[in-house]
Amino acid sequence: SISTEFKNPLESLSGATLQLKQEKGADSKDERTKSLQLIEESSNVINRIVENIMAMSKLSSGFIHLQKE
């Protein structure tokens, strides 16, 4: 479902940013890099979901018409 598709990457974003904010998250450059990669990947997932929702909305509203070839 859409709520689950949003919830998982948002939880990843939240957890990674919390880890970066805490002192122990800044101890290792590798941990920091992993957290930043997770934030980037989760942001990309959310962006794709939003793009898909917008495309579906345009299709359902008739703004975009599909043509068979």
Side-chain angles (χ1 to χ4, degrees):
S1 75
I2 289 178
S3 62
T4 302
E5 290 181 43
F6 272 112
K7 186 177 180 187
N8 292 339
L10 286 173
E11 286 178 351
S12 295
L13 284 170
S14 179
T17 53
L18 180 61
Q19 182 177 357
L20 287 172
K21 288 168 68 174
Q22 294 175 346
E23 288 184 359
K24 69 178 181 177
D27 286 346
S28 165
K29 185 177 179 183
D30 289 338
E31 289 178 21
R32 182 177 176 82
T33 300
K34 286 179 186 178
S35 292
L36 290 171
Q37 287 174 336
L38 180 59
I39 290 169
E40 181 180 18
E41 291 168 7
S42 297
S43 298
N44 289 337
V45 168
I46 293 171
N47 189 41
R48 282 193 302 274
I49 293 169
V50 170
E51 287 174 354
N52 289 341
I53 291 171
M54 290 173 64
M56 290 183 335
S57 176
K58 288 178 183 178
L59 281 171
S60 67
S61 70
F63 186 73
I64 295 176
H65 300 284
L66 298 178
Q67 294 180 350
K68 264 186 170 177
E69 292 185 21

